[in-house]
Amino acid sequence: MGSSFWLLGLCVWVYFFSFGFITLNSESVGGNGTVEGTVFIDGKSAIGKINSHFICATLDWWPPEKCDYGTCSWDHASFLNLDLSNKILLNAVKAFSPLKIRLGGTLQDKVIYETEDHKQPCIPFAKNTSEMFGFTQGCLPMHRWDELNTFFKESGAAIIFGLNALTGRTIKSDGSAVGAWNYTNAESFIRYTVNKNYTIYGWELGNELSGSGVGTRVAADQYASDTISLKNIIEDIYKGFKSMPLVIGPGGFFDKNWFNEYLSKTNNSLDVATRHIYNLGPGVDEHLVEKILDPSYLDNEVGNFRGLQSLLRSSATSATAWVGEAGGAYNSGRNLVTNAFVFSFWYLDQLGMASTYDTKTYCRQTLIGGNYGLLNTTTFVPNPDYYSALLWHRLMGRNVLSTSFSGSKKIRAYAHCAKQSQAITLLLINLDGNTTVQAKVAFNSTWSLRSKHINRHHKRKIIRLPRGYTKTEVMREEYHLTAKDGNLHSQTMLLNGNILTVNSTGDLPPFEPLTVNSSEPIKVAPFSIVFAHMPNVVLPACR
């Protein structure tokens, strides 16, 4: 949340308060009270830089028989059986141009690939409670891989494929997996992919085998050796190509000591260090909404973001950080929570927090499937978080600005340089259901104000309108997200009071902003989210 600049910003704000602000506005909705507050933005330099295509979503292996707590929420959402002809699905992926899609999940380490080296029948997963993860070994038929790549090409998706990292290992009685990775089948699959001219953005090794692991675990030094083997395979197969896919790992939960050893021993073979986030606990938890609305609970994840950032900076690796899978609540999430409006508070806060700690890409579990899909598992209609993700993608640029908020602990504030201009976009999340917040904005930086009439540079730390400059000449765009009927469990999201939904032909709705006079404060209604694009404010970090 950029708290390191809070005290400095407060002092600057108090000192210059009498000069006035350029402030921000929207329609006020409900609530039992109104409070004022100030967003402090340090615009001198960026504190992080995300990928231009930061948003990523996952597709999983789970068959329809995957059930949690008596509920079977996966239906035909596995990429083995997903309806690739669905128009809503195609449009939803194309809208990001490209959307990174990570193919993987728990069962990936029990998958074999139907390539020339595989002489056995290609048998699908079958439920078996005596097996690790509750399913037998499964298989990816090459005809399905061909179908998937046809869809990926048409939709413009950028694909990260999670490879089976348990092949060749022995599971010991203590739960550890020992021995080197047998990469024969994976190498054959990669060669098949290249020979078919399929484009892969990155190859990721394994799923949740780091640290104490899930189901089983692999020691850090062995995993590093296997990652080096993957790097060598890719360099050999892609020799002569203009660019190579990324080598990604370990795709597990952050364990500082394990990650430290792994990073130190992969040498320069690793391009991306991925970790998973399910910080809300199990999907069956009755207190998920309380956790989502508790800023102190949300801040508990800061330590892991900061920990991986610190390790990457201090090690010899050139790898960058990604969140490779994040569904918030594990075991498929919770219906009407992780697929409802309330989850956008958690999701957008995660995107903002990840960016602050220089995380380059964030992969949401899932694009479709379980109770945490961006799309409804059976109808493919976008859930609220899909629209939150698409707004972020269109508005939030690569450069991340140090941002904090003074006035209410229930406001989460993040700012980036804008996606399509040299200006800024501000994200405000109101976790309070009873209070409207009127937010002023203060900048700890030299800045400039642009319009068709003037281009004046100001040395003040707080925005102030030039003398004689009319209010109507400085405008901004606002996007207010609320739940239908104020129901946090609603799966219908409103943008500036209008329902967001696809039409009868599967086309996504337009995002029409409110055009607002910049002399007014941003009014953040109770339980609402606001993106504010300020096209006339240019900071050094955004030039």
Side-chain angles (χ1 to χ4, degrees), residues 143-217:
H143 71 83
R144 180 58 176 179
W145 185 231
D146 296 338
E147 293 170 354
L148 285 162
N149 279 278
T150 298
F151 173 80
F152 298 148
K153 183 176 181 180
E154 184 179 4
S155 64
I159 300 304
I160 296 95
F161 190 93
L163 295 164
N164 179 347
L166 287 182
T167 307
R169 306 190 203 272
T170 301
I171 308 297
K172 297 180 65 177
S173 58
D174 65 356
S176 62
V178 298
W181 174 45
N182 181 344
Y183 51 76
T184 304
N185 188 222
E187 181 178 13
S188 177
F189 175 57
I190 295 171
R191 288 191 186 279
Y192 177 92
T193 300
V194 171
N195 289 338
K196 296 285 281 190
N197 293 317
Y198 299 150
T199 301
I200 300 297
Y201 189 84
W203 295 98
E204 184 175 31
L205 182 62
N207 182 82
E208 296 177 356
L209 301 174
S210 59
S212 57
V214 175
T216 186
R217 62 188 184 275

Side-chain angles (χ1 to χ4, degrees), residues 185-437:
N185 188 222
E187 181 178 13
S188 177
F189 175 57
I190 295 171
R191 288 191 186 279
Y192 177 92
T193 300
V194 171
N195 289 338
K196 296 285 281 190
N197 293 317
Y198 299 150
T199 301
I200 300 297
Y201 189 84
W203 295 98
E204 184 175 31
L205 182 62
N207 182 82
E208 296 177 356
L209 301 174
S210 59
S212 57
V214 175
T216 186
R217 62 188 184 275
V218 177
D221 59 344
Q222 180 61 62
Y223 216 89
S225 176
D226 299 329
T227 301
I228 293 170
S229 295
L230 176 58
K231 177 70 170 182
N232 292 336
I233 290 168
I234 289 175
E235 287 186 339
D236 177 52
I237 295 176
Y238 286 87
K239 186 182 299 182
F241 282 61
K242 290 183 179 180
S243 61
M244 292 189 182
L246 299 173
V247 174
I248 303 172
F253 294 102
F254 183 66
D255 178 299
K256 183 178 180 180
N257 292 333
W258 192 100
F259 266 71
N260 186 39
E261 182 178 2
Y262 174 68
L263 292 172
S264 68
K265 293 182 177 179
T266 52
N267 301 321
N268 292 318
S269 296
L270 186 70
D271 298 309
V272 176
T274 46
R275 72 180 187 91
H276 294 182
I277 300 176
Y278 288 91
N279 61 327
L280 298 174
V284 73
D285 190 343
E286 296 286 349
H287 302 286
L288 291 180
V289 172
E290 295 171 34
K291 293 177 179 179
I292 291 166
L293 299 178
D294 181 352
S296 297
Y297 192 92
L298 297 178
D299 282 339
N300 288 338
E301 192 59 31
V302 167
N304 289 325
F305 279 112
R306 184 184 290 128
L308 181 54
Q309 180 189 45
S310 177
L311 285 181
L312 291 171
R313 286 178 173 178
S314 62
S315 70
T317 183
S318 58
T320 58
W322 285 16
V323 171
E325 180 183 317
Y330 59 81
N331 290 342
S332 304
R334 185 179 183 86
N335 189 35
L336 300 182
V337 176
T338 55
N339 54 11
F341 177 83
V342 69
F343 210 52
S344 277
F345 294 136
W346 176 85
Y347 182 39
L348 286 172
D349 187 66
Q350 278 281 299
L351 298 183
M353 188 183 296
S355 301
T356 299
Y357 290 95
D358 209 28
T359 306
K360 304 301 185 184
T361 290
Y362 192 105
C363 298
R364 166 63 179 264
Q365 174 83 347
T366 59
L367 173 60
I368 186 169
N371 286 318
Y372 35 36
L374 296 178
L375 307 178
N376 182 282
T377 303
T378 56
T379 67
F380 293 79
V381 169
N383 285 321
D385 280 0
Y386 175 83
Y387 295 117
S388 294
L390 190 54
L391 266 174
W392 173 288
H393 172 74
R394 291 181 178 178
L395 297 173
M396 304 293 271
R398 296 189 65 188
N399 286 2
V400 186
L401 306 176
S402 178
T403 309
S404 61
F405 186 82
S406 172
S408 170
K409 293 181 180 179
K410 288 282 191 173
I411 287 287
R412 313 288 282 184
Y414 299 98
H416 287 217
C417 297
K419 188 69 171 280
Q420 303 296 341
S421 71
Q422 293 184 359
I424 67 166
T425 301
L426 176 64
L427 169 61
L428 296 175
I429 303 168
N430 189 355
L431 303 176
D432 192 326
N434 297 309
T435 305
T436 296
V437 175

Side-chain angles (χ1 to χ4, degrees), residues 58-63 74-84 101-105 107-108 111 113 125 139-141 144-145 147-149 151-152 159-162 189 368-369:
T58 68
L59 287 174
D60 215 306
W61 291 93
W62 290 120
W74 286 86
D75 200 8
H76 286 71
S78 162
F79 60 86
L80 289 174
N81 54 36
L82 184 64
D83 179 7
L84 301 175
I101 299 180
R102 181 245 187 184
L103 306 178
L107 294 184
Q108 80 178 54
V111 176
Y113 317 110
F125 292 110
C139 179
L140 173 60
R144 180 58 176 179
W145 185 231
E147 293 170 354
L148 285 162
N149 279 278
F151 173 80
F152 298 148
I159 300 304
I160 296 95
F161 190 93
F189 175 57
I368 186 169

